[in-house]
Amino acid sequence: MENALEKWTDPLWERVLPGQRDQPEVLAELRQTCDDNTVIVDRECILAPNTYTLELPPDSHRRLAPYKAQVQRQLDAQVCRHAAEQGYTFPGPVSVHIHAASDDAVDQFRLSSGVDPT
């Protein structure tokens, strides 16, 4: 299933960010952000952030807009899969939100994470 999703999204990322194959980089960064922001609650519970915000340059965000919901769902699934492989627990539903960056400092993308228990 992951291969099928990648085959579908690779051309999309190429259209959104021409000349850059950032999907693997975005996925790697999501996984790393998840790992870096875990909290060990006890021996059986490692809590991971469940909300992620991916900021793209405005032009890239505009090109992604028609596919935003599908890409967000795929990224949600990738975070969940990674967390399951690592044995992490989430405090609530996982969501990756894609937004246009509000400044010009974002060349490719910027990622942040947080906890939303609702």
Side-chain angles (χ1 to χ4, degrees), residues 9-61:
T9 57
D10 282 350
L12 172 63
W13 283 105
E14 184 62 31
R15 278 186 294 188
V16 172
L17 301 165
Q20 303 172 17
R21 300 222 359 133
D22 277 340
Q23 182 201 9
E25 191 174 326
V26 168
L27 292 175
E29 188 70 25
L30 273 169
R31 292 177 186 125
Q32 188 66 49
T33 299
C34 182
D35 292 341
D36 289 349
N37 294 292
T38 59
V39 175
I40 299 172
V41 177
D42 61 34
R43 288 182 182 199
E44 297 178 15
C45 182
I46 300 173
L47 197 62
N50 64 320
T51 62
Y52 299 83
T53 301
L54 177 63
E55 293 180 87
L56 297 173
D59 187 48
S60 295
H61 183 265

Coordinates of all heavy atoms in Angstrom, one line a residue, residues 9-61:
T9 N 1.8 9.9 -5.2 CA 2.2 11.2 -4.6 C 3.5 11.7 -5.2 O 3.8 12.9 -5.2 CB 2.3 11.2 -3.1 OG1 3.2 10.2 -2.7 CG2 0.9 11.0 -2.5
D10 N 4.4 10.9 -5.7 CA 5.7 11.3 -6.2 C 5.5 12.4 -7.4 O 6.1 13.4 -7.3 CB 6.6 10.2 -6.7 CG 7.3 9.5 -5.6 OD1 7.2 10.0 -4.4 OD2 7.8 8.4 -5.8
P11 N 4.6 12.1 -8.3 CA 4.4 13.1 -9.4 C 3.7 14.3 -8.8 O 4.0 15.4 -9.3 CB 3.4 12.4 -10.3 CG 3.6 10.9 -10.1 CD 3.9 10.8 -8.6
L12 N 2.9 14.2 -7.8 CA 2.3 15.4 -7.2 C 3.4 16.3 -6.5 O 3.4 17.5 -6.8 CB 1.3 14.9 -6.1 CG 0.7 16.1 -5.2 CD1 -0.1 17.0 -6.1 CD2 -0.2 15.5 -4.2
W13 N 4.3 15.7 -5.8 CA 5.4 16.5 -5.2 C 6.2 17.1 -6.2 O 6.7 18.3 -6.1 CB 6.2 15.6 -4.3 CG 5.6 15.3 -2.9 CD1 5.0 14.2 -2.6 CD2 5.4 16.2 -1.8 NE1 4.5 14.3 -1.3 CE2 4.7 15.5 -0.8 CE3 5.7 17.6 -1.6 CZ2 4.3 16.1 0.4 CZ3 5.4 18.1 -0.4 CH2 4.7 17.4 0.6
E14 N 6.4 16.5 -7.3 CA 7.2 17.0 -8.4 C 6.5 18.3 -9.0 O 7.2 19.2 -9.4 CB 7.5 16.0 -9.5 CG 8.4 16.5 -10.6 CD 9.8 16.9 -10.2 OE1 10.3 16.3 -9.2 OE2 10.3 17.8 -10.8
R15 N 5.2 18.2 -9.1 CA 4.5 19.4 -9.6 C 4.4 20.5 -8.6 O 4.5 21.7 -8.9 CB 3.0 19.0 -10.0 CG 2.9 18.3 -11.3 CD 1.5 18.1 -11.6 NE 1.0 17.1 -10.7 CZ -0.2 16.6 -10.8 NH1 -1.0 16.9 -11.7 NH2 -0.6 15.7 -9.9
V16 N 4.3 20.2 -7.3 CA 4.2 21.2 -6.3 C 5.6 21.8 -6.0 O 5.7 23.1 -5.9 CB 3.7 20.6 -4.9 CG1 3.8 21.6 -3.8 CG2 2.3 20.1 -5.1
L17 N 6.6 21.0 -6.0 CA 8.0 21.5 -5.8 C 8.9 21.1 -6.9 O 9.6 20.1 -6.8 CB 8.5 21.0 -4.4 CG 7.7 21.4 -3.2 CD1 8.1 20.5 -2.0 CD2 7.8 22.9 -2.9
P18 N 8.8 21.7 -8.1 CA 9.5 21.3 -9.3 C 11.0 21.2 -9.0 O 11.6 22.1 -8.4 CB 9.2 22.3 -10.3 CG 8.1 23.2 -9.8 CD 8.0 23.0 -8.3
G19 N 11.6 20.2 -9.6 CA 13.0 20.0 -9.4 C 13.5 19.4 -8.1 O 14.7 19.2 -7.9
Q20 N 12.5 19.3 -7.2 CA 12.9 18.7 -5.9 C 12.0 17.5 -5.6 O 10.8 17.6 -5.8 CB 12.6 19.8 -4.8 CG 13.3 21.1 -5.0 CD 12.9 22.1 -4.0 OE1 12.3 21.9 -3.0 NE2 13.2 23.4 -4.4
R21 N 12.5 16.5 -5.1 CA 11.7 15.3 -4.7 C 11.6 15.3 -3.2 O 12.3 14.6 -2.5 CB 12.4 14.1 -5.2 CG 12.5 14.1 -6.7 CD 12.2 12.9 -7.4 NE 11.8 11.7 -6.7 CZ 10.8 11.0 -7.0 NH1 10.1 11.3 -8.0 NH2 10.5 9.9 -6.3
D22 N 10.8 16.2 -2.7 CA 10.7 16.5 -1.2 C 9.8 15.5 -0.5 O 9.9 15.5 0.8 CB 10.3 17.9 -0.9 CG 11.4 18.9 -1.0 OD1 12.6 18.4 -1.0 OD2 11.1 20.1 -1.2
Q23 N 9.1 14.7 -1.1 CA 8.2 13.8 -0.3 C 9.0 12.9 0.6 O 8.7 12.9 1.8 CB 7.3 12.9 -1.2 CG 6.4 12.0 -0.4 CD 5.9 10.8 -1.1 OE1 6.3 10.5 -2.2 NE2 5.0 10.1 -0.4
P24 N 10.1 12.2 0.1 CA 10.9 11.4 1.1 C 11.5 12.3 2.2 O 11.6 11.9 3.3 CB 12.0 10.8 0.2 CG 11.4 10.8 -1.2 CD 10.5 12.0 -1.3
E25 N 11.9 13.5 1.8 CA 12.5 14.4 2.8 C 11.4 14.8 3.8 O 11.7 14.9 5.0 CB 13.1 15.6 2.1 CG 13.9 16.5 3.1 CD 14.6 17.6 2.3 OE1 15.0 17.4 1.1 OE2 14.7 18.7 2.9
V26 N 10.2 15.1 3.4 CA 9.1 15.5 4.3 C 8.8 14.3 5.2 O 8.6 14.5 6.4 CB 7.8 15.9 3.5 CG1 6.6 16.0 4.4 CG2 8.1 17.3 2.8
L27 N 8.7 13.1 4.6 CA 8.4 11.9 5.5 C 9.5 11.7 6.5 O 9.2 11.4 7.7 CB 8.2 10.7 4.6 CG 7.0 10.7 3.7 CD1 6.9 9.5 2.8 CD2 5.7 10.8 4.5
A28 N 10.7 11.8 6.1 CA 11.8 11.6 7.0 C 11.8 12.7 8.1 O 12.0 12.4 9.3 CB 13.2 11.7 6.3
E29 N 11.5 13.9 7.8 CA 11.4 15.0 8.8 C 10.2 14.7 9.7 O 10.3 15.0 10.9 CB 11.3 16.3 8.1 CG 11.4 17.5 9.0 CD 12.8 17.7 9.6 OE1 13.8 17.3 9.0 OE2 12.8 18.3 10.7
L30 N 9.1 14.3 9.2 CA 7.9 13.9 10.1 C 8.3 12.9 11.1 O 8.0 13.0 12.3 CB 6.7 13.5 9.2 CG 5.8 14.5 8.7 CD1 4.9 13.9 7.7 CD2 5.0 15.2 9.8
R31 N 9.0 11.8 10.6 CA 9.4 10.7 11.5 C 10.4 11.2 12.5 O 10.3 10.9 13.7 CB 10.0 9.6 10.7 CG 9.0 8.9 9.8 CD 9.7 7.8 9.0 NE 8.8 7.2 8.1 CZ 8.9 7.1 6.7 NH1 10.0 7.6 6.2 NH2 8.0 6.6 6.0
Q32 N 11.3 12.1 12.1 CA 12.3 12.6 13.0 C 11.7 13.5 14.1 O 12.0 13.5 15.2 CB 13.4 13.3 12.2 CG 14.6 13.7 13.1 CD 15.4 12.5 13.6 OE1 15.7 11.6 12.8 NE2 15.6 12.5 14.9
T33 N 10.8 14.3 13.6 CA 10.1 15.2 14.6 C 9.3 14.4 15.6 O 9.3 14.7 16.8 CB 9.2 16.2 13.8 OG1 10.0 17.0 12.9 CG2 8.4 17.1 14.7
C34 N 8.6 13.4 15.1 CA 7.9 12.5 16.0 C 8.9 11.9 17.0 O 8.6 11.9 18.2 CB 7.2 11.4 15.2 SG 6.2 10.2 16.1
D35 N 10.0 11.4 16.6 CA 11.0 10.7 17.5 C 11.6 11.8 18.5 O 11.7 11.5 19.6 CB 12.1 10.1 16.7 CG 11.7 8.9 15.8 OD1 10.6 8.3 16.1 OD2 12.4 8.6 14.9
D36 N 11.9 12.9 17.9 CA 12.6 13.9 18.8 C 11.7 14.5 19.9 O 12.2 15.1 20.8 CB 13.1 15.1 17.9 CG 14.3 14.7 17.0 OD1 14.8 13.6 17.2 OD2 14.6 15.5 16.1
N37 N 10.4 14.4 19.7 CA 9.5 15.1 20.6 C 8.7 14.1 21.5 O 7.6 14.5 22.0 CB 8.6 16.1 19.9 CG 9.4 17.2 19.3 OD1 9.9 18.0 20.0 ND2 9.5 17.2 18.0
T38 N 9.1 12.9 21.6 CA 8.4 11.9 22.4 C 8.7 12.2 23.9 O 9.8 12.8 24.2 CB 8.8 10.5 22.1 OG1 10.3 10.4 22.3 CG2 8.4 10.1 20.7
V39 N 7.8 11.8 24.7 CA 8.0 11.9 26.2 C 7.8 10.5 26.8 O 6.8 9.8 26.5 CB 7.0 12.9 26.8 CG1 7.1 12.9 28.3 CG2 7.2 14.2 26.2
I40 N 8.7 10.0 27.6 CA 8.6 8.7 28.2 C 7.7 8.9 29.5 O 8.1 9.6 30.4 CB 9.9 8.1 28.5 CG1 10.7 7.9 27.3 CG2 9.8 6.8 29.3 CD1 12.2 7.5 27.5
V41 N 6.5 8.3 29.4 CA 5.6 8.4 30.6 C 6.0 7.4 31.6 O 6.0 7.6 32.8 CB 4.2 8.3 30.1 CG1 3.2 8.4 31.3 CG2 3.8 9.5 29.1
D42 N 6.1 6.1 31.1 CA 6.6 5.0 32.0 C 7.1 4.0 31.0 O 7.3 4.2 29.8 CB 5.5 4.5 32.9 CG 4.3 4.0 32.1 OD1 4.4 3.4 31.0 OD2 3.1 4.1 32.6
R43 N 7.5 2.8 31.6 CA 8.1 1.8 30.8 C 7.2 1.3 29.6 O 7.8 0.8 28.6 CB 8.4 0.6 31.7 CG 9.6 0.8 32.6 CD 9.9 -0.4 33.4 NE 10.9 -0.2 34.3 CZ 11.7 -1.1 34.9 NH1 11.4 -2.4 34.6 NH2 12.6 -0.8 35.7
E44 N 6.0 1.4 29.8 CA 5.1 0.9 28.7 C 4.4 2.0 27.9 O 3.6 1.7 27.0 CB 4.0 0.1 29.4 CG 4.6 -1.2 30.1 CD 3.5 -2.0 30.8 OE1 2.3 -1.8 30.5 OE2 3.9 -2.8 31.6
C45 N 4.7 3.3 28.1 CA 4.1 4.3 27.4 C 5.1 5.4 27.0 O 5.6 6.1 27.9 CB 3.0 4.9 28.3 SG 2.0 6.2 27.4
I46 N 5.2 5.6 25.7 CA 6.0 6.7 25.2 C 5.1 7.5 24.3 O 4.5 7.0 23.4 CB 7.2 6.1 24.3 CG1 8.1 5.2 25.1 CG2 7.9 7.3 23.7 CD1 9.2 4.5 24.2
L47 N 4.9 8.7 24.8 CA 3.9 9.6 24.2 C 4.6 10.4 23.1 O 5.6 11.0 23.3 CB 3.4 10.6 25.3 CG 2.1 11.3 25.0 CD1 1.0 10.4 24.8 CD2 1.8 12.2 26.2
A48 N 3.9 10.5 21.9 CA 4.4 11.2 20.7 C 3.5 12.3 20.4 O 2.3 12.3 20.7 CB 4.6 10.3 19.5
P49 N 4.0 13.4 19.8 CA 3.1 14.5 19.4 C 2.1 14.0 18.4 O 2.4 13.1 17.6 CB 4.0 15.5 18.8 CG 5.3 14.9 18.7 CD 5.3 13.7 19.4
N50 N 0.9 14.5 18.4 CA -0.2 14.1 17.5 C -0.6 15.1 16.5 O -1.4 14.8 15.6 CB -1.4 13.6 18.3 CG -2.1 14.6 19.1 OD1 -1.4 15.5 19.7 ND2 -3.4 14.6 19.1
T51 N -0.1 16.3 16.6 CA -0.4 17.3 15.6 C 0.9 17.8 15.0 O 1.9 18.1 15.7 CB -1.2 18.5 16.2 OG1 -0.4 19.2 17.2 CG2 -2.5 18.1 16.8
Y52 N 0.9 18.0 13.7 CA 2.0 18.4 12.9 C 1.6 19.5 11.9 O 0.5 19.4 11.3 CB 2.7 17.3 12.1 CG 3.1 16.2 13.1 CD1 2.2 15.2 13.5 CD2 4.4 16.1 13.5 CE1 2.7 14.2 14.4 CE2 4.9 15.1 14.4 CZ 4.0 14.2 14.8 OH 4.4 13.2 15.7
T53 N 2.4 20.6 11.8 CA 2.1 21.6 10.9 C 3.2 21.7 9.9 O 4.4 21.9 10.2 CB 1.9 23.0 11.6 OG1 0.9 22.9 12.5 CG2 1.6 24.1 10.6
L54 N 2.9 21.5 8.6 CA 3.8 21.6 7.5 C 3.6 22.9 6.7 O 2.5 23.1 6.2 CB 3.6 20.4 6.6 CG 4.5 20.3 5.3 CD1 6.0 20.2 5.7 CD2 4.1 19.1 4.5
E55 N 4.5 23.8 6.8 CA 4.4 25.0 6.1 C 5.2 24.9 4.8 O 6.4 24.6 4.8 CB 5.0 26.2 6.9 CG 4.2 26.4 8.2 CD 4.8 27.6 9.0 OE1 4.4 28.8 8.7 OE2 5.6 27.3 9.9
L56 N 4.6 25.3 3.7 CA 5.2 25.3 2.4 C 5.3 26.7 1.9 O 4.5 27.6 2.3 CB 4.3 24.5 1.4 CG 4.2 23.0 1.7 CD1 3.1 22.4 0.7 CD2 5.5 22.3 1.6
P57 N 6.2 27.0 1.0 CA 6.2 28.3 0.3 C 4.9 28.6 -0.4 O 4.2 27.6 -0.8 CB 7.3 28.2 -0.8 CG 8.2 27.1 -0.3 CD 7.3 26.1 0.5
P58 N 4.4 29.8 -0.4 CA 3.0 30.1 -0.9 C 2.8 29.5 -2.3 O 1.7 29.0 -2.6 CB 3.0 31.6 -0.9 CG 3.9 32.0 0.2 CD 5.0 31.0 0.2
D59 N 3.7 29.6 -3.2 CA 3.6 29.1 -4.5 C 3.4 27.5 -4.5 O 2.5 27.0 -5.2 CB 4.7 29.5 -5.4 CG 4.5 29.1 -6.9 OD1 3.4 29.4 -7.4 OD2 5.4 28.5 -7.5
S60 N 4.2 26.9 -3.7 CA 4.0 25.4 -3.6 C 2.7 25.0 -3.0 O 2.1 24.1 -3.4 CB 5.2 24.8 -2.8 OG 6.4 25.0 -3.4
H61 N 2.3 25.8 -2.0 CA 1.0 25.5 -1.3 C -0.1 25.7 -2.3 O -1.1 24.9 -2.3 CB 0.8 26.4 -0.1 CG -0.4 26.2 0.6 ND1 -1.6 26.8 0.4 CD2 -0.7 25.2 1.6 CE1 -2.5 26.4 1.2 NE2 -2.0 25.4 1.9

